Amino acid sequence: MYWVRFKVFNESENSRWLLHKAYPLLDKIEFYSEGKKGIWIKKNTGDILPFSNREIIHKDFLFRIKIFPNSSGTFFLRFQSEGTLQFPLYIYDYENFLLRERKENLVLGLYYGILIVLSIYNLILFFMIRDTGYLYYLLYITGYGTIQLILNGLAFEYFWPGLPWWANRSLPFVGGWAFFWGLQFTRNFLHTKSNNRKTDRILKITMALMSRLLISSLTLSYHLNIYFLASLVILFALIVLTAGAVSLRSGYKPARYFLIAWGFLLFGVGTYSLKGLGFVPANFFTEYGLQIGSAIEMCL
């Protein structure tokens, strides 16, 4: 739990502003602003509460604040979460916030459009060719896409707005699901069962850990599961890259394309996981590394 206090001086002619908390995976936020006659106004939100509880219906956390021209305002925020606590705070006037929304919606629309097209593409190839590799990759793509929807706050807004319990536990569950099938696709594409049994055994052990995460995400605390997920994602990245390198060195030429494609994704995954564990700061590349890396990987 952390308290944040900040004071803002308004040098513009506007008096109506939006406070934007850009990280949607927080359990509870209490926002305090000073009202008339010095009475403090408290507003509660967070993903342990129904989505409809928010002051402004938005995937992130938004609060209306009022600061008259040439005057200042003092505000307090109380954050509480079992996962990573991040405090990216921004103040916008309404016009600039709408401009920001248009740009972000364009980027997210392009990303999810690519993901949907590639999901349909792999589904068609599976029915036409009957190669289970396309099915494994389809299951991975849909799981990975759901991870992105959760991280962006869109899953809670559109898919389960009335289920805060599931919203709070969905990320480790879906993460375990997606990377389980990513590992199975790796086994299938590189033919590790016949080409390298030692690598295949390691991949299966990691798949077992992903299965364990699926169970623990429903029974243990979110705090334990989110660090378990972040650790497994880093392990996933190392093992998949190693499996590709070993297959390539053994003379299996398709592993070359496997390494090029997954190298982009795993760089983004590793960067984001290190940010989640607190080893690197939050910035554009660490925040959107998952989308950038996965879009390139899927296209390749």
Side-chain angles (χ1 to χ4, degrees), residues 218-233:
L218 302 177
T219 56
L220 301 179
S221 70
Y222 178 82
H223 177 77
L224 293 175
N225 285 313
I226 200 63
Y227 282 96
F228 188 22
L229 172 62
S231 301
L232 285 181
V233 167

Side-chain angles (χ1 to χ4, degrees), residues 86-195:
Q86 299 181 29
F87 308 137
L89 294 171
Y90 308 93
I91 292 180
Y92 296 96
D93 59 26
Y94 283 75
E95 182 179 349
N96 281 306
F97 182 76
L98 290 175
L99 181 62
R100 176 199 175 276
E101 284 292 284
R102 288 177 59 189
K103 292 179 179 178
E104 184 181 39
N105 289 339
L106 174 62
V107 173
L108 293 179
L110 288 171
Y111 175 76
Y112 289 116
I114 292 172
L115 191 145
I116 291 171
V117 168
L118 289 173
S119 297
I120 296 172
Y121 174 71
N122 279 273
L123 181 63
I124 292 173
L125 286 178
F126 169 67
F127 283 117
M128 290 178 61
I129 303 175
R130 298 295 178 179
D131 185 342
T132 55
Y134 292 107
L135 177 62
Y136 298 147
Y137 196 67
L138 172 63
L139 292 171
Y140 161 74
I141 286 179
T142 54
Y144 191 88
T146 306
I147 290 174
Q148 294 303 312
L149 288 169
I150 294 169
L151 293 174
N152 295 146
L154 294 169
F156 192 23
E157 181 177 5
Y158 291 108
F159 296 152
W160 43 77
L163 300 173
W165 180 87
W166 172 244
N168 196 250
R169 294 176 176 268
S170 57
L171 181 58
F173 182 90
V174 177
W177 167 273
F179 292 113
F180 175 91
W181 291 112
L183 290 164
Q184 179 60 22
F185 170 77
T186 300
R187 294 181 64 222
N188 178 271
F189 186 87
L190 298 178
H191 299 289
T192 56
K193 187 175 181 179
S194 56
N195 293 342

Side-chain angles (χ1 to χ4, degrees), residues 1-6 19-22 26 28-33 40-41 43-45 61-63 65 74-80 86-91:
M1 180 183 70
Y2 288 88
W3 281 90
V4 174
R5 174 185 178 273
F6 61 96
L19 175 65
H20 179 208
K21 175 67 182 67
L26 288 175
K28 188 176 181 180
I29 302 176
E30 294 176 357
F31 176 63
Y32 297 85
S33 59
W40 288 90
I41 301 171
K43 300 171 184 177
N44 288 326
T45 187
F61 301 112
L62 294 174
F63 302 96
I65 60 176
T74 302
F75 305 94
F76 293 86
L77 283 162
R78 178 178 179 268
F79 297 106
Q80 184 175 346
Q86 299 181 29
F87 308 137
L89 294 171
Y90 308 93
I91 292 180

